[in-house]
Amino acid sequence: MKKTLLILLASVVSLLPIYIGGVASADTIQVVSDTAYAPFEFKDSDQIYKGIDVDIITEVAKRSGWDLDMTYPGFDAAVNAVQSGQADALMAGTTITNARQKVFTFSDPYYDTKIVLYTRADAKISEYKALKGKTVGVKNGTIAQSFLEDNKDKYGYTIKSFDTSDLMNNSLDAGSIEAAMDDQPVVQYAIKQGKEYAINMDGEAVGSFGFAVKKGSQYEGLVEDFNTALADMKKDGTYAQIMAKWLGAETSTASKATGDASAKATPVKKSYKVVMDSSFAPFEYQSDNGEYVGIDVDLIKAIAEQQGFTLELSNPGFDAALNAVQAGQADAVIAGMSITDARKEIFDFSDSYYTSNIILAVKEGSIVKAYKDLKGMTVGAKNGTASYSFLEEHANEYGYTLKAFDEASSMYDSLNAGSVDAIMDDEAILKYAIQQGRKFTTPIDGEPSGDYGFAVKKGSNPELIAMFNNGLAALRKSGKYDEILAKYLGDGKATDSSKTVDETTISGLLSNNYKQLLSGLGTTLSLTLISFAIAMVIGVIFGMMSVSPSGVLRTIASIFVDVVRGIPLMIVAAFIFWGIPNLIESMTGNQSPINDFVAATIALSLNGGAYIAEIVRGGIEAVPVGQMEASRSLGLPYGKTMQKVILPQAIKLMLPNFINQFVISLKDTTIVSAIGLVELFQTGKIIIARNYQSFRMYAILAVIYLVMITLLTRLAKRLEKRHN
């Protein structure tokens, strides 16, 4: 009996550190937090979580000897995890309330929060009565929303609710709301990050944030550890350093912009070529009249006008645009491009001109309500984007398969068709697509993805960056920048005064876009005819070499055919258009850009020439060998025998294959659109990017190609009969 009592006593003693005033240092403390609540916790561009809560709890753990394991499932999930015992503690900007104190044991407050009214820096509102007749934004389900609801009749304003701070701030930037209310540290952080906002009124005290554990759990000792460490941090200045790091020393507008609104740099070129994406609405897209419009287009034109330099704009597509700048075929790119560390190694960026979010979209009626619901599903994203990087990083965590796309319209079509279960893209782009008729929903809050910047090749055109920054600063000061954003984002829908016909019908599509389609068709036919003519010359030369008595000539022909046929046409086109100029520049130091039409013609000519060479070789070898022997025995030389005896018979055998190769060359023009050449297929994709009528547009393209190929095939066969 005594032995049993001793064992029980020893067990109780061993458990005392857990229940009384602390946790053994060997224990792993699982702390959960929110997913995105800057500046308390958020994932930075380096994909690492940072913020006030992260710094404080990390310092507390260090001082208390905890082995900290911190995860970020989101606020609701974090609260439920602590309640269900799946996590030990909660650190997520949690306001201490009477209701929550019935469920959780809270630490001493580590932050006394306020809600504040804020506006754009150029709109000074210093009292609530000045809000009369105006629209004030607020996030759903917040204390700020309750405050505004209680006082709206008193002060005569209208309330507009948003799901996230980013959406609310975008609306404030665009001018669709005149003011907004949010947690003071959230607004302070936005200002510190460069948002041109002003807080001209004292905030409303709404409570304090605390660290929390489940009430009555074995982890209540963690609260005592937290309180002790927090007191020490305040005493030695560590707490103040953390707050200054994330909130700054003052709440006035801060900006990372380097441009001078009153300055103008000096252009060193007569004209600057700036390239863009071809289908990234509302930043750049083709309007009904065939002209490119969008935020990027209007912005760069306004900056060029303000700074006094001449522009030459083209829209080859995102990848083609980046490669064109790298190859020296363009001076700069503005294409809704996020500023990343990896890209900074290749490009010099301007000041940020837009702050973006990425967001997940699913079809209406989808069961997906959180990232964990994506398990076993396929999720799409565009190559090389922040969305793709985010999804790639979390694929193992949530168990989905990632599928890459080259451009938005095909990705959206795949979601609509069900070949992917969800997609992720920039929030502005997805919202635009939804308002254009896409039956998608965005069930999960967006993820901050960084800033968009104007870029030049590293070390080149510094004056262009200076002019962009100065012009951007001037546009912001004058209000022109806000007007441009409001034009495309103010009501969530870009304006297009040229649109007069309903594009949801085949007739409407043709009526609105026939000029663009005819232009694309002309490019396709020109490219096909020119490249095929050159390919015939190349093919005949190498085909004759391949049956030559000379072993050297046969070897050269064989190498040419094997190399060209062994490399995909798209890679050949990309190498000619981007690779060769880079190679020349690395060797000579001078940029030698190649025109996209010329590059496409060379690529198609080489590709077609290799196949025609084999047709020629096969046709000649199909003529019975006795024909050659008989002719040579009669004293005719090799050349005369080929000219008079072999080739006339071989040509009859080759003609059907020449016709087939011509049709193949026509179809191959769709492949070279990858380098930015706007032929018929690329024209169709650009139209789809604006109106999202993919089924009808692709049907129109299919009919055009069918009619064109059928007519050309009939013509070729008629020529074949005449020759026979």
Side-chain angles (χ1 to χ4, degrees):
M1 183 69 179
K2 289 182 178 179
K3 185 176 181 181
T4 302
L5 288 173
L6 287 172
I7 293 172
L8 289 173
L9 182 60
S11 300
V12 170
V13 171
S14 68
L15 290 173
L16 283 176
I18 297 177
Y19 288 93
I20 303 176
V23 176
S25 62
D27 289 345
T28 297
I29 308 303
Q30 296 178 327
V31 178
V32 285
S33 188
D34 204 348
T35 301
Y37 185 49
F40 289 92
E41 51 268 326
F42 66 99
K43 184 176 284 189
D44 206 349
S45 58
D46 58 5
Q47 302 301 302
I48 296 174
Y49 273 100
K50 301 175 182 178
I52 294 172
D53 284 348
V54 179
D55 284 1
I56 288 178
I57 198 64
T58 300
E59 184 65 21
V60 168
K62 179 181 176 182
R63 295 179 184 228
S64 303
W66 299 349
D67 182 8
L68 180 65
D69 178 19
M70 194 165 185
T71 56
Y72 306 84
F75 187 81
D76 291 339
V79 171
N80 290 329
V82 174
Q83 286 184 273
S84 63
Q86 296 171 331
D88 306 329
L90 175 66
M91 184 75 173
T94 311
T95 304
I96 303 171
T97 65
N98 292 332
R100 287 173 178 165
Q101 285 179 323
K102 295 177 182 178
V103 182
F104 297 100
T105 298
F106 281 91
S107 68
D108 294 335
Y110 66 85
Y111 188 84
D112 296 324
T113 188
K114 291 182 178 181
I115 52 174
V116 293
L117 190 84
Y118 63 103
T119 63
R120 295 193 305 275
D122 57 355
K124 306 294 185 183
I125 295 179
S126 56
E127 51 187 359
Y128 289 117
K129 64 181 181 181
L131 294 172
K132 186 175 182 179
K134 301 184 184 299
T135 302
V136 183
V138 70
K139 289 186 295 183
N140 271 321
T142 60
I143 295 175
Q145 186 180 44
S146 300
F147 176 86
L148 289 174
E149 288 286 351
D150 291 342
N151 292 279
K152 66 179 181 180
D153 293 333
K154 179 179 179 181
Y155 296 114
Y157 51 74
T158 302
I159 299 174
K160 186 172 183 179
S161 300
F162 299 86
D163 290 330
T164 66
S165 294
D166 290 314
L167 290 175
M168 180 168 67
N169 289 341
N170 285 341
S171 295
L172 180 60
D173 292 341
S176 59
I177 58 175
E178 286 81 18
M181 180 170 269
D182 205 348
D183 293 314
Q184 183 170 345
V186 175
V187 182
Q188 287 177 307
Y189 180 76
I191 293 172
K192 187 172 183 289
Q193 291 302 107
K195 283 289 190 180
E196 296 184 345
Y197 297 154
I199 302 172
N200 295 307
M201 297 171 58
D202 292 333
E204 305 289 338
V206 293
S208 303
F209 292 166
F211 169 82
V213 300
K214 185 178 180 182
K215 198 173 187 68
S217 72
Q218 67 188 73
Y219 300 105
E220 289 198 332
L222 297 176
V223 173
E224 294 183 24
D225 288 350
F226 185 95
N227 290 340
T228 301
L230 180 64
D232 291 340
M233 289 163 61
K234 288 182 175 179
K235 187 176 180 180
D236 63 21
T238 304
Y239 174 85
Q241 290 175 7
I242 292 173
M243 291 300 163
K245 173 183 176 181
W246 296 107
L247 302 180
E250 58 186 31
T251 62
S252 60
T253 299
S255 176
K256 294 190 287 186
T258 61
D260 184 349
S262 61
K264 289 189 178 182
T266 303
V268 299
K269 289 185 176 183
K270 183 178 180 181
S271 176
Y272 290 92
K273 183 175 182 180
V274 178
V275 285
M276 302 181 177
D277 203 343
S278 59
S279 54
F280 193 51
F283 288 91
E284 48 261 334
Y285 63 98
Q286 206 171 47
S287 66
D288 295 333
N289 60 13
E291 295 181 358
Y292 275 96
V293 296
I295 294 171
D296 287 347
V297 180
D298 288 7
L299 189 62
I300 191 63
K301 285 182 178 179
I303 288 174
E305 181 181 355
Q306 197 277 332
Q307 287 287 299
F309 64 93
T310 305
L311 276 179
E312 178 189 345
L313 299 178
S314 65
N315 297 74
F318 186 77
D319 290 338
L322 267 59
N323 286 322
V325 174
Q326 287 180 264
Q329 294 165 332
D331 299 305
V333 56
I334 181 169
M337 180 165 65
S338 298
I339 303 171
T340 66
D341 291 336
R343 286 174 178 160
K344 284 180 180 179
E345 296 178 4
I346 303 169
F347 299 101
D348 289 329
F349 281 94
S350 68
D351 297 335
S352 168
Y353 67 85
Y354 185 80
T355 301
S356 67
N357 263 7
I358 52 175
I359 196 167
L360 192 83
V362 296
K363 289 180 71 174
E364 289 183 353
S366 171
I367 62 170
V368 175
K369 303 299 179 187
Y371 289 120
K372 64 181 180 180
D373 298 333
L374 295 171
K375 186 173 183 179
M377 296 184 178
T378 301
V379 185
K382 289 185 293 182
N383 260 325
T385 61
S387 299
Y388 190 91
S389 299
F390 176 86
L391 291 172
E392 188 175 38
E393 180 182 350
H394 293 88
N396 292 331
E397 179 182 354
Y398 295 115
Y400 52 75
T401 301
L402 179 57
K403 184 174 182 179
F405 292 87
D406 290 329
E407 42 86 31
S409 59
S410 61
M411 180 171 71
Y412 291 8
D413 287 340
S414 295
L415 177 59
N416 195 59
S419 59
V420 296
D421 304 288
I423 59 173
M424 181 172 268
D425 204 355
D426 291 275
E427 188 166 30
I429 314 306
L430 268 170
K431 296 297 184 184
Y432 177 85
I434 290 170
Q435 287 163 353
Q436 292 297 310
R438 292 283 183 172
K439 303 297 183 183
F440 301 159
T441 61
T442 53
I444 306 172
D445 289 343
E447 306 285 345
S449 61
D451 297 320
Y452 288 171
F454 172 84
V456 300
K457 186 177 180 181
K458 199 166 188 68
S460 66
N461 300 314
E463 77 286 353
L464 195 49
I465 292 292
M467 288 188 292
F468 185 93
N469 289 341
N470 293 341
L472 180 63
L475 294 184
R476 281 179 165 152
K477 184 176 181 180
S478 68
K480 179 68 175 178
Y481 172 83
D482 292 332
E483 290 178 14
I484 292 173
L485 287 189
K487 176 181 177 182
Y488 295 97
L489 301 177
D491 59 0
K493 202 166 187 177
T495 59
D496 189 356
S497 58
S498 66
K499 188 169 185 176
T500 57
V501 180
D502 181 12
E503 291 193 333
T504 60
T505 65
I506 296 290
S507 61
L509 278 172
L510 289 172
S511 175
N512 272 9
N513 303 291
Y514 73 92
K515 291 182 180 179
Q516 295 97 294
L517 291 171
L518 287 175
S519 176
L521 178 60
T523 302
T524 293
L525 287 174
S526 300
L527 184 60
T528 303
L529 293 171
I530 295 172
S531 64
F532 189 74
I534 298 172
M536 283 291 292
V537 175
I538 295 172
V540 168
I541 292 173
F542 281 97
M544 296 294 292
M545 290 170 60
S546 66
V547 294
S548 169
S550 169
V552 175
L553 293 179
R554 290 198 305 271
T555 300
I556 293 173
S558 177
I559 292 173
F560 168 77
V561 170
D562 289 344
V563 169
V564 175
R565 290 203 309 174
I567 302 175
L569 175 58
M570 186 182 294
I571 295 177
V572 174
F575 176 75
I576 293 170
F577 188 58
W578 295 312
I580 290 179
N582 273 321
L583 177 63
I584 294 174
E585 184 182 6
S586 66
M587 295 172 62
T588 66
N590 298 317
Q591 295 181 342
S592 302
I594 298 175
N595 178 273
D596 54 4
F597 187 89
V598 173
T601 300
I602 296 172
L604 285 170
S605 299
L606 290 174
N607 187 73
Y611 284 96
I612 290 173
E614 285 296 279
I615 293 172
V616 171
R617 182 189 62 80
I620 292 173
E621 291 181 347
V623 177
V625 69
Q627 300 281 328
M628 174 66 77
E629 293 173 352
S631 178
R632 296 301 299 275
S633 66
L634 292 173
L636 287 176
Y638 176 81
K640 209 67 173 177
T641 298
M642 289 296 293
Q643 180 183 350
K644 298 294 186 180
V645 179
I646 304 300
L647 286 179
Q649 298 178 69
I651 288 173
K652 292 183 179 181
L653 299 172
M654 297 176 198
L655 272 176
N657 291 323
F658 284 152
I659 295 170
N660 289 337
Q661 186 58 42
F662 180 77
V663 171
I664 291 171
S665 295
L666 178 58
K667 292 180 179 179
D668 282 349
T669 58
T670 62
I671 297 176
V672 296
S673 65
I675 64 174
L677 182 67
V678 183
E679 40 66 72
L680 182 58
F681 179 59
Q682 183 76 348
T683 299
K685 291 199 295 182
I686 290 169
I687 294 170
I688 290 169
R690 184 190 74 246
N691 55 35
Y692 293 91
Q693 298 297 318
S694 54
F695 173 77
R696 294 176 178 85
M697 195 67 247
Y698 284 132
I700 291 171
L701 293 179
V703 170
I704 293 174
Y705 276 107
L706 178 62
V707 171
M708 183 167 50
I709 290 171
T710 300
L711 292 176
L712 291 172
T713 302
R714 293 283 177 86
L715 176 61
K717 286 184 176 180
R718 182 179 292 273
L719 293 174
E720 178 186 354
K721 286 181 179 180
R722 290 185 62 182
H723 178 79
N724 289 336

